[in-house]
Amino acid sequence: MAAPTPPSHHSAGRPNHLLVVDDEPTVRELLRTALRYAGFDVEAAATGREALDLAARRTPDLVLLDVMLPDMDGFEVIRRLRAQPRSPLPGQGGDVPVLFVTARDDRQDRLHGLRLGGDDYVTKPFDLEELIARIHAVLRRTRGEQPARLAVGDLVLEPESHHVTRAGRTVRLSPTEFRLLHFLVANAGRTMTKNQILRSVWEYDFGGDPSIVDTYISYLRRKVDTGEPKLVHTVRGVGYVIREPRP
């Protein structure tokens, strides 16, 4: 396994602050050492309660979260994180990005973690280079600069505040759901392939699982397209498009 190259990505002139949550001392120390070498500021917790206490004292830029913990599972940890008051800034309070790092590789566990608001899901054993690339991808898509207000039909996005409304009704989205919706709205009327979406939304430059796109499209439809007219459309064999209602 190659040693990770120290990156230059910082947030507001300081290293990004990561919280590693894993009850295995060997894994916890490996991640703490590797991520510090990669330029991150790292805290670590062995239990869900310890993780929630650390996050309450200092909001992390990203949480790496194991599912199997001794006091509560990682799914309960993310539920409690997401229940915290939300900040107007993306990636803070209840919007803090969460990347699951776990031996639980069942597809249902993965989907459950994503439905609860997880931004990515990595199974053990993992490659450190790939894990660090995914960390940077999540940080970029939840911290990137955004343009002004965007709209398609009665759907309105305000990227700076991450506020979304449909027909005047507030739509609450996870950071990744918002990023996906923003990408589709910014390209309204154009059919985007799954690979284009993976590259632009998940920012994987090493490839990714296209099924995650289908999963998140279904999440968006449940939140954005609850009524008529539908805005998110499948172009069979090609990808997805968001477009103005047709007469």
Side-chain angles (χ1 to χ4, degrees):
M1 182 185 301
T5 302
S8 58
H9 300 282
H10 291 13
S11 174
R14 61 172 175 80
N16 286 295
H17 175 57
L18 307 185
L19 175 58
V20 173
V21 188
D22 198 299
D23 66 331
E24 297 182 46
T26 303
V27 175
R28 197 166 59 248
E29 190 55 35
L30 168 68
L31 287 173
R32 178 160 37 196
T33 301
L35 295 173
R36 282 177 177 168
Y37 179 77
F40 296 104
D41 172 33
V42 185
E43 281 188 299
T47 67
R49 171 51 58 196
E50 184 183 2
L52 292 168
D53 289 344
L54 288 173
R57 289 201 294 267
R58 181 185 179 192
T59 302
D61 293 306
L62 181 140
V63 177
L64 286 91
L65 181 60
D66 192 8
V67 172
M68 295 181 287
L69 298 171
D71 53 345
M72 66 182 80
D73 64 26
F75 300 139
E76 179 62 22
V77 174
I78 193 173
R79 283 191 196 97
R80 298 191 187 191
L81 281 173
R82 291 287 177 256
Q84 291 179 3
R86 298 195 170 210
S87 163
L89 298 175
Q92 295 189 17
D95 284 327
V96 62
V98 173
L99 194 162
F100 283 101
V101 183
T102 178
R104 294 269 289 268
D105 60 357
D106 184 78
R107 181 174 179 272
Q108 291 305 313
D109 285 330
R110 177 187 177 92
L111 292 176
H112 187 48
L114 295 174
R115 288 190 188 107
L116 290 172
D119 296 275
D120 205 344
Y121 196 103
V122 177
T123 56
K124 300 174 182 176
F126 51 83
D127 179 83
L128 276 174
E129 290 281 3
E130 178 176 334
L131 178 63
I132 290 170
R134 289 186 181 226
I135 290 169
H136 283 304
V138 172
L139 289 170
R140 283 195 300 267
R141 70 176 180 257
T142 56
R143 294 281 185 171
E145 294 183 3
Q146 302 285 357
R149 191 170 181 260
L150 297 170
V152 175
D154 59 1
L155 176 67
V156 178
L157 285 81
E158 297 177 8
E160 188 172 334
S161 63
H162 275 212
H163 188 243
V164 178
T165 59
R166 177 84 199 263
R169 178 181 60 85
T170 296
V171 179
R172 295 191 65 176
L173 303 176
S174 73
T176 303
E177 290 167 348
F178 182 89
R179 179 74 175 178
L180 174 58
L181 182 62
H182 178 272
F183 178 69
L184 292 174
V185 171
N187 291 279
R190 296 174 56 200
T191 300
M192 310 309 293
T193 67
K194 291 182 185 179
N195 284 336
Q196 287 175 314
I197 294 171
L198 274 175
R199 285 196 302 269
S200 297
V201 177
W202 277 265
E203 298 184 26
Y204 292 160
D205 51 13
F206 51 83
D209 180 2
S211 67
I212 197 171
V213 177
D214 302 320
T215 299
Y216 270 87
I217 287 288
S218 71
Y219 297 163
L220 277 187
R221 282 176 165 150
R222 291 175 201 164
K223 294 182 178 183
V224 171
D225 272 351
T226 55
E228 295 292 340
K230 305 300 184 188
L231 297 178
V232 182
H233 301 275
T234 301
V235 179
R236 195 172 300 280
V238 182
Y240 298 99
V241 60
I242 193 165
R243 59 176 176 247
E244 297 267 5
R246 292 176 175 171

